[in-house]
Amino acid sequence: MAIEVKQAGREQLSVRRDEILMTTVLPDLIEADVRRGDRTMLDAALGKLAEHVKVIKTPLAVALLVRSKALASAGPKAEAGFRRAIELLGNPKMKFELAKTQLLFGEWLRRQGRRIEARRQLQAAYQELDALGMDDLAERARVEIAASGEHARKRTYETQDDLTPQEAQVARLAAQGARNAEIARRMFISPATVEYHLSKVYRKLGIDSRAKLVRLMLLVDSPLENELALKTGS
């Protein structure tokens, strides 16, 4: 019995070690290999990451592999990979990796000359990374936003209850009757991310349902556009 317990403990430790390696080391190595253009090392790291994903089999593990493959790809394949990774990272518990993925996708979009789409991803990444205290990555996002011709909107204590541009867009579409799946398609995000944004919108506007969001828009003395304008600081 004691031997079985020790064996189980070693197996759990091995899985945990693989998970740490996968989430903290290999994705960064792959990103570095992409930037250096080192295809040999890149392919080796991608292969190793794929092996670990077969063991871990979690949404985070799959998302990181999909994101890494997107980094190593080009054209529609890369874009589809980034969007799929963002969809897989819709759980709020994975918000750091979501923000990192939005940063990488935003960088990719800007290099494709798609500045407006890039700003949407970069602003979301910047605000989350800044809120998490990830100063280096937040600065990287800020520089990318500036390169796209925009200014980064920093979250402060006074503005922490303001709607972000993405939250405001979700709120407007939801109030107009769009379903989560439709909003997701129009904004190029996952339905889970739409739901996440809506939950934050409800808290910030002091409501608790989509029906109240619609009623808020219909109020003559306090239309949603005015409420959103106040909340977004515009």
Side-chain angles (χ1 to χ4, degrees):
M1 183 66 178
I3 294 176
E4 292 177 354
V5 170
K6 286 183 179 180
Q7 180 63 27
R10 282 196 293 268
E11 291 176 356
Q12 290 178 352
L13 181 61
S14 177
V15 170
R16 179 58 179 160
R17 181 194 61 204
D18 287 348
E19 186 175 11
I20 292 173
L21 175 65
M22 183 204 63
T23 57
T24 64
V25 178
L26 284 175
D28 287 344
L29 287 177
I30 289 168
E31 183 183 344
D33 291 337
V34 169
R35 294 182 184 279
R36 286 198 307 267
D38 190 337
R39 192 73 213 189
T40 300
M41 292 298 293
L42 173 60
D43 289 342
L46 280 171
K48 181 63 69 175
L49 181 57
E51 291 177 9
H52 287 305
V53 171
K54 289 180 181 178
V55 176
I56 304 300
K57 296 180 181 178
T58 64
L60 174 60
V62 175
L64 292 177
L65 177 59
V66 171
R67 185 183 78 190
S68 296
K69 287 182 176 180
L71 275 172
S73 302
K77 185 177 180 180
E79 181 171 357
F82 281 122
R83 295 198 187 283
R84 176 57 178 157
I86 288 173
E87 181 179 344
L88 289 167
L89 293 167
N91 189 321
K93 293 181 180 179
M94 298 185 286
K95 59 185 178 181
F96 166 70
E97 291 299 346
L98 173 60
K100 178 71 180 294
T101 303
Q102 289 172 318
L103 169 59
L104 293 169
F105 187 29
E107 290 175 334
W108 185 87
L109 286 167
R110 191 181 70 78
R111 290 197 299 272
Q112 307 309 305
R114 296 160 62 178
R115 293 190 300 170
I116 295 177
E117 292 175 83
R119 289 171 194 161
R120 185 181 301 128
Q121 299 294 333
L122 292 168
Q123 287 285 6
Y126 172 78
Q127 291 180 357
E128 191 61 64
L129 291 167
D130 182 63
L132 291 170
M134 307 301 293
D135 295 339
D136 290 344
L137 288 174
E139 175 62 13
R140 181 168 140 190
R142 188 196 66 77
V143 170
E144 284 287 331
I145 292 168
S148 77
E150 187 66 70
H151 295 291
R153 291 183 285 276
K154 188 177 180 67
R155 307 288 283 174
T156 65
Y157 178 79
E158 290 76 13
T159 63
Q160 64 183 355
D161 286 331
D162 291 353
L163 297 187
T164 66
Q166 200 165 37
E167 289 166 358
Q169 188 175 2
V170 168
R172 289 189 180 96
L173 291 172
Q176 291 166 8
R179 300 281 186 177
N180 286 8
E182 180 184 352
I183 296 172
R185 286 195 301 271
R186 292 173 65 174
M187 294 184 63
F188 303 107
I189 57 179
S190 72
T193 302
V194 172
E195 186 63 35
Y196 172 59
H197 285 316
L198 277 175
S199 68
K200 295 175 71 176
V201 168
Y202 296 160
R203 178 183 64 78
K204 292 177 180 182
L205 295 181
I207 57 179
D208 57 13
S209 70
R210 187 182 294 249
K212 290 182 180 179
L213 184 63
V214 174
R215 285 200 294 272
L216 182 60
M217 184 181 74
L218 296 176
L219 288 176
V220 175
D221 295 331
S222 181
L224 178 62
E225 292 299 322
N226 291 340
E227 185 78 8
L228 292 178
L230 288 173
K231 285 288 185 178
T232 56
S234 58

